[in-house]
Amino acid sequence: MISQKAKYALRALLELAKTKPGEALLITEIAARQNIPKKFLEQILLDLKHQGLLHSKRGRGGGYSLLRAPNLISFGQVLRIIDGPMAPLPCLSRMAYRLCEDCTDEHACEIRRVFATAYEQTAKVLDSTTLADAITAGKLPIEP
């Protein structure tokens, strides 16, 4: 399950992705449009800025804007920035690998094998789905 912080980050980025290139949005605008607490959003946007996804400008015409095109920012990238490793088990993590405490042989572990398959498929979808993809998909009907 993703954190509320990650969900807010994605919603804010999607809002920014819908703006015209070069256009910036104020935190108050993003917070109001996406119903995100302003103080929490400030922290999230600062994290995303420090990770190279956003640009901020002060003064007239200021606010936040994407530093890269929406088709170059993936859901997986954002989730890793905000929530850290996505792996369901520490022995599957690329960023924070460690052997499970109760494991004697991870190569023979049936649990690891099943979760590895699920993790690989999930990571594949999240890493290949961009903000632009989500915006385009939002214009299509959702299949049951």
Side-chain angles (χ1 to χ4, degrees):
M1 184 179 314
I2 70 170
S3 68
Q4 188 64 45
K5 183 177 180 181
K7 195 172 180 183
Y8 284 160
L10 288 165
R11 286 173 37 196
L13 288 168
L14 287 165
E15 190 65 41
L16 289 166
K18 294 173 189 173
T19 63
K20 296 174 187 164
E23 185 179 327
L25 291 177
L26 298 172
I27 290 176
T28 52
E29 292 175 293
I30 300 168
R33 290 180 190 177
Q34 291 296 322
N35 196 26
I36 301 171
K38 185 179 174 234
K39 284 290 183 191
F40 197 23
L41 183 58
E42 287 174 358
Q43 176 190 348
I44 292 166
L45 295 181
L46 196 57
D47 289 345
L48 295 172
K49 178 183 174 184
H50 288 145
Q51 292 297 318
L53 295 184
L54 297 178
H55 170 74
S56 66
K57 181 180 171 188
R58 293 178 185 233
R60 188 179 186 123
Y64 281 89
S65 58
L66 295 179
L67 202 52
R68 298 193 309 229
N71 66 328
L72 297 177
I73 302 173
S74 75
F75 272 56
Q77 179 183 21
V78 176
L79 291 176
R80 286 184 189 93
I81 288 170
I82 301 298
D83 285 349
M86 293 189 304
L89 298 170
C91 62
L92 292 173
S93 177
R94 292 180 211 146
M95 294 175 63
Y97 172 85
R98 67 179 166 72
L99 191 63
C100 294
E101 293 175 17
D102 59 347
C103 187
T104 56
D105 182 6
E106 72 180 36
H107 300 293
C109 179
E110 294 88 355
I111 296 169
R112 182 180 196 271
R113 231 178 282 132
V114 171
F115 278 93
T117 302
Y119 169 62
E120 287 168 8
Q121 294 302 311
T122 300
K124 183 178 177 181
V125 170
L126 293 172
D127 289 336
S128 66
T129 304
T130 66
L131 298 177
D133 295 330
I135 291 168
T136 302
K139 296 175 184 172
L140 303 172
I142 297 174
E143 295 181 28

